[in-house]
Amino acid sequence: MKKVLVTGGAGYIGCHTVVELLNHDFIPIIIDNFSNTDERILQGLEEILGFMPIVYRTDCTDYKAMHEVFSLEKPDAVIHFAAFKAVGESTAHPLKYYHNNIDSLLVVLRLMDEFNVNELVFSSSCTVYGQPAMLPVNENCPPQQATSPYGYSKQVSEQIIIDTCAARPQLKCTLLRYFNPIGAHPSALIGELPYGIPNNLVPYITQTAAGIREKLTIHGNDYSTNDGTCIRDYIHVCDLAAAHVKALEWLSGQSNVCEAFNLGQGKGNSVKEVVDTFVRVNNVAVNIEIGPRRSGDVEQVYADVSKVKNALHWQTERSLDEALKDAWKWQRHLTQA
Ligand code: UFG
C-alpha cells in the first residue's frame, strides 16, 4: 500500500481526500498546522473511518520539521493542499500568502528530491485562467494576469512545479485546477469549517438559512449572463476528492510528466440558480438582496473536462442538488454541535 503525505489534510478538500485515499487502499499521512481547521475535523474523520489517521501538527514551511516527517514516514507520494485561499485576505496580506503558499511548496519539492519521492499532486485553481476568452475553458488556455496575490501564488506555484519537473527526470506531477468546490461528506461529519464571515457563496447561503447571517448579498445582477448573475462551475467536494485518487493512480503509470487538469462539472450555474436550487432542495428560506458587483469577480468561468475524462477516467458523479443538500446537512450539524 502506498503512503501518501497529505499536506493540509485536515482542511476542507484535504479531509475528504483522506477518506477517498483510505477507500482505495492508500495510506494517508496528514500534515497540517491547524491554522484554518480544528479538532472537529479529526473527530469527524475518526468517526467515518473507525480509527484516527496519522496526523502531524506541522507547518509545511518549516523545513526541519518537514524533514523529520519525511524521514519517519518515507512516503511514496505527496498531495500538496496546504495553502491559504481567501482571495480578499490575500490582497490585504500579500506577504503572508506568498510566504505560506510558495515557501511550503519549495519545502515539499526540496524534500521530495532529497528523499527521492517522485509523485506530486498539486492543488491549483481555475483562478489561473482569469476571465478566459473561450468557454468552457480548457487547460491550454493561456493564464491571465492574476487579480489577487492568492491567484498569483497559484500561477507561480504551477511554474515552479513545471520547472522542477523539467530539471528532475524522475518527477511526475499533476496540477489540479479546481473550479468551485462545495458541499460536504454525506455523513455530515466533515466539511468546511467557517471562520469569521464566509467569502464563498455556499457557506454564506447556509449561514443565512441557519439565521447566523441576516441576508445573502448577491454581488451584482447586471452581468451579461442569462439572469445577470455570475456563472461558476460548482463541484461536490467528494467528487473533487475522488479525482486526487485518480491522479495518483494515473501518475504511477507515467514517467516525467507535468500535466494540468481541470476539475469541474463541465457546466456553469449562476449565483441565482445556486440560491434557488438550495431553497428548493432543502425547503428553507434564504433572505437575499442584490448588491453591487464584487471587485475582481470574473463574469463566468466553467471547465472543459474532456482532458481529465480521457486521461484520468474521472468525471463528477454528484449533482448540484446533492451538493447543496449535503452543504445544508453539514451546516445543521455545525449549528447543533
Ligand atoms: N457571491 C455572492 N455573494 C456572496 C458570495 C459570493 O454573490 O456572499 C458570488 C460571487 O460574486 C461569485 C460567486 O458567488 O459570483 C462565487 O463566489 P465564491 O466566492 O464562492 O467563489 P469564486 O468563484 O469567487 O472563488 C473561487 C474560490 C477561489 C478561487 C476562485 C477562482 O473561492 O479560491 O474560485 O475563480 F480562486
Side-chain angles (χ1 to χ4, degrees), residues 127 150 180 199-201 217-219 230 232 271 294 297:
T127 196
Y150 162 75
N180 288 55
N199 296 302
N200 296 119
L201 178 63
T217 304
I218 293 183
H219 299 314
C230 289
R232 297 287 184 275
V271 173
R294 184 172 73 175
D297 264 347

Side-chain angles (χ1 to χ4, degrees), residues 222-242:
D222 57 351
Y223 288 96
S224 303
T225 58
N226 52 347
D227 59 22
T229 65
C230 289
I231 289 177
R232 297 287 184 275
D233 186 333
Y234 295 92
I235 169 173
H236 195 299
V237 67
C238 291
D239 279 333
L240 191 59

Side-chain angles (χ1 to χ4, degrees), residues 18-30:
V18 164
V19 174
E20 277 298 310
L21 286 167
L22 278 159
N23 285 340
H24 291 82
D25 292 334
F26 289 93
I27 304 172
I29 314 288
I30 296 173

Side-chain angles (χ1 to χ4, degrees), residues 85-87 125-128 130 148 150-151 154 178-182 198-205 215-220 223 229-234 270-271 275 289 292-294 296-299 301:
K85 59 171 187 175
V87 176
S125 166
C126 68
T127 196
V128 298
S148 69
Y150 162 75
K154 290 295 174 191
Y178 309 152
F179 282 67
N180 288 55
I182 58 167
N199 296 302
N200 296 119
L201 178 63
V202 172
Y204 212 107
I205 293 175
K215 55 182 177 259
L216 169 80
T217 304
I218 293 183
H219 299 314
Y223 288 96
T229 65
C230 289
I231 289 177
R232 297 287 184 275
D233 186 333
Y234 295 92
S270 73
V271 173
V275 177
E289 67 171 7
R293 291 182 175 198
R294 184 172 73 175
D297 264 347
V298 299
E299 180 176 280
V301 60

Side-chain angles (χ1 to χ4, degrees), residues 26-313:
F26 289 93
I27 304 172
I29 314 288
I30 296 173
I31 304 179
D32 209 299
N33 66 1
F34 289 82
S35 63
N36 201 23
T37 185
D38 62 46
E39 290 303 317
R40 286 172 286 176
I41 295 302
L42 296 184
Q43 286 160 13
L45 277 176
E46 189 174 16
E47 225 173 299
I48 293 169
L49 301 171
F51 65 94
M52 182 63 89
I54 301 169
V55 182
Y56 288 90
R57 285 154 209 280
T58 301
D59 190 305
C60 291
T61 63
D62 182 341
Y63 172 80
K64 264 175 92 176
M66 288 292 283
H67 188 283
E68 205 165 319
V69 178
F70 270 76
S71 46
L72 282 169
E73 296 296 344
K74 304 195 173 34
D76 300 290
V78 177
I79 305 181
H80 184 48
F81 289 108
F84 293 143
K85 59 171 187 175
V87 176
E89 188 196 31
S90 79
T91 306
H93 302 285
L95 294 183
K96 176 178 164 182
Y97 271 66
Y98 290 132
H99 165 63
N100 190 49
N101 295 6
I102 306 294
D103 286 0
S104 64
L105 174 65
L106 296 179
V107 166
V108 164
L109 286 171
R110 192 172 151 198
L111 287 166
M112 287 180 70
D113 189 19
E114 285 174 36
F115 286 84
N116 199 28
V117 181
N118 297 323
E119 292 171 10
L120 173 68
V121 174
F122 177 69
S123 280
S124 189
S125 166
C126 68
T127 196
V128 298
Y129 297 122
Q131 176 61 71
M134 293 276 287
L135 285 170
V137 60
N138 70 36
E139 291 82 352
N140 297 324
C141 178
Q144 305 269 320
Q145 166 126 36
T147 55
S148 69
Y150 162 75
Y152 191 55
S153 78
K154 290 295 174 191
Q155 290 182 342
V156 171
S157 296
E158 286 200 359
Q159 193 58 51
I160 289 170
I161 294 170
I162 291 166
D163 294 343
T164 309
C165 252
R168 224 193 115 201
Q170 314 89 307
L171 194 58
K172 306 182 273 186
C173 304
T174 54
L175 311 170
L176 301 185
R177 294 177 177 162
Y178 309 152
F179 282 67
N180 288 55
I182 58 167
H185 193 268
S187 65
L189 291 166
I190 54 172
E192 188 168 21
L193 286 178
Y195 289 103
I197 302 171
N199 296 302
N200 296 119
L201 178 63
V202 172
Y204 212 107
I205 293 175
T206 62
Q207 289 197 9
T208 307
I212 300 166
R213 310 277 154 214
E214 193 194 330
K215 55 182 177 259
L216 169 80
T217 304
I218 293 183
H219 299 314
N221 68 347
D222 57 351
Y223 288 96
S224 303
T225 58
N226 52 347
D227 59 22
T229 65
C230 289
I231 289 177
R232 297 287 184 275
D233 186 333
Y234 295 92
I235 169 173
H236 195 299
V237 67
C238 291
D239 279 333
L240 191 59
H244 292 74
V245 173
K246 292 283 190 187
L248 279 178
E249 289 169 350
W250 180 79
L251 280 177
S252 68
Q254 304 294 315
S255 51
N256 193 225
V257 280
C258 187
E259 284 294 335
F261 293 104
N262 283 343
L263 298 183
Q265 284 222 54
K267 114 185 206 311
N269 287 103
S270 73
V271 173
K272 201 157 177 316
E273 278 166 359
V274 173
V275 177
D276 292 346
T277 307
F278 181 87
V279 169
R280 174 175 56 76
V281 299
N282 295 309
N283 198 24
V284 280
V286 178
N287 282 334
I288 58 164
E289 67 171 7
I290 305 296
R293 291 182 175 198
R294 184 172 73 175
S295 124
D297 264 347
V298 299
E299 180 176 280
Q300 42 184 321
V301 60
Y302 49 94
D304 179 334
V305 288
S306 40
K307 182 175 174 188
V308 69
K309 265 190 196 167
N310 291 334
L312 304 194
H313 307 294

